[in-house]
Amino acid sequence: EVQLVETGGGLVQPGRSLKLSCVASGFTFNNYWMSWTRQAPGKGLEWVASITNSGGSTYYPDSVKGRFTISRDNAQNTLYLQMNSLRSEDTATYYCTRGYYGDYWGQGVMVTVSS
Amino acid sequence: DIQMTQSPASLSASLGETVTIECRASEDIYSNLAWYQQKPGNSPQLLIYDANSLADGVPSRFSGSGSGTQYSLKINSLQSEDVASYFCQQYNNYLTFGSGTKLEIK
């Protein structure tokens, strides 16, 4: 059974940093691209970052480019999202997803950016 | 950037009815389109990929169609467990989601 379990969320002040983790199981992790997608409270879905299966290439929308970094440790079956210079508009539930478009999603982790 | 325009924003239908949700892309996305269902309090789940391929375990009353810039999701014989929000997503050029459709039972 494919499982994606995100951790690392919480309350953080504007301008500070936070790192999310996603532990994957039930599939061969290094065969898949992985992505992060977020959802602000009561809002729609927004793609945040993607990484190739080797980790050699990463992709971001303009809204987070230069502030967020996606990475992976294939030996540990773990995906990461380093979030720097956080803003109030980054407040959302962050989902780890398998593949480029997301055939499996984690349960999500809440990030609240507030003073 | 590719924009996805999804309609309607909300929809109310009776049990057993057929409903259709539409997504229009701002440019040709060559059928690189997925549909997701998100039930209240849950994560999104993949329904359709490549515009018309049913994801594993998804009931056959769900179907996708379209090409170019116009795509649709059809739900036949609406059931109570179909109450959810539905999102389209293009993956032809990075990833963009539609704004969502909230489906309720009349």
Side-chain angles (χ1 to χ4, degrees):
Chain A
E1 178 194 6
V2 172
Q3 286 199 317
L4 300 169
V5 180
E6 303 98 333
T7 57
L11 174 63
V12 61
Q13 292 180 328
R16 304 297 291 264
S17 298
L18 201 63
K19 187 171 186 176
L20 306 181
S21 300
C22 169
V23 175
S25 60
F27 65 100
T28 304
F29 185 68
N30 61 13
N31 282 354
Y32 289 86
W33 284 44
M34 297 293 293
S35 300
W36 290 96
T37 295
R38 68 185 179 184
Q39 186 171 34
K43 301 296 184 182
L45 299 166
E46 181 188 16
W47 167 62
V48 171
S50 294
I51 187 168
T52 57
N53 53 323
S54 67
S57 294
T58 57
Y59 305 89
Y60 308 92
D62 288 344
S63 58
V64 307
K65 195 177 294 182
R67 299 189 300 122
F68 288 12
T69 302
I70 188 172
S71 61
R72 64 193 295 162
D73 182 341
N74 284 344
Q76 299 293 324
N77 289 352
T78 302
L79 178 73
Y80 301 101
L81 185 68
Q82 176 69 46
M83 302 184 292
N84 298 332
S85 303
L86 282 161
R87 306 167 180 168
S88 58
E89 56 263 37
D90 296 319
T91 293
T93 296
Y94 285 74
Y95 296 101
C96 165
T97 70
R98 188 180 82 163
Y100 189 45
Y101 55 74
D103 57 356
Y104 286 91
W105 294 56
Q107 85 286 353
V109 62
M110 185 68 200
V111 173
T112 302
V113 184
S114 174
S115 53
Chain B
D1 292 5
I2 297 177
Q3 309 302 316
M4 300 300 294
T5 302
Q6 185 173 341
S7 62
S10 63
L11 185 53
S12 183
S14 301
L15 293 174
E17 267 192 56
T18 295
V19 300
T20 301
I21 299 168
E22 311 268 348
C23 257
R24 185 182 79 246
S26 58
E27 62 186 75
D28 195 328
I29 57 171
Y30 302 97
S31 296
N32 291 310
L33 183 105
W35 289 96
Y36 298 90
Q37 177 192 64
Q38 186 177 29
K39 295 184 179 181
N42 288 351
S43 307
Q45 289 198 320
L46 179 68
L47 295 174
I48 301 285
Y49 63 96
D50 293 347
N52 58 17
S53 296
L54 205 62
D56 290 345
V58 175
S60 58
R61 64 178 182 277
F62 291 90
S63 63
S65 63
S67 62
T69 62
Q70 301 274 5
Y71 299 87
S72 60
L73 171 71
K74 187 164 75 170
I75 310 173
N76 289 318
S77 302
L78 191 66
Q79 305 202 359
S80 57
E81 59 262 36
D82 299 334
V83 169
S85 291
Y86 293 84
F87 297 90
C88 63
Q89 178 206 48
Q90 69 80 22
Y91 47 92
N92 186 65
N93 185 357
Y94 298 117
L95 301 169
T96 317
F97 290 91
S99 54
T101 296
K102 188 172 183 180
L103 176 60
E104 298 175 332
I105 301 297
K106 197 182 293 183

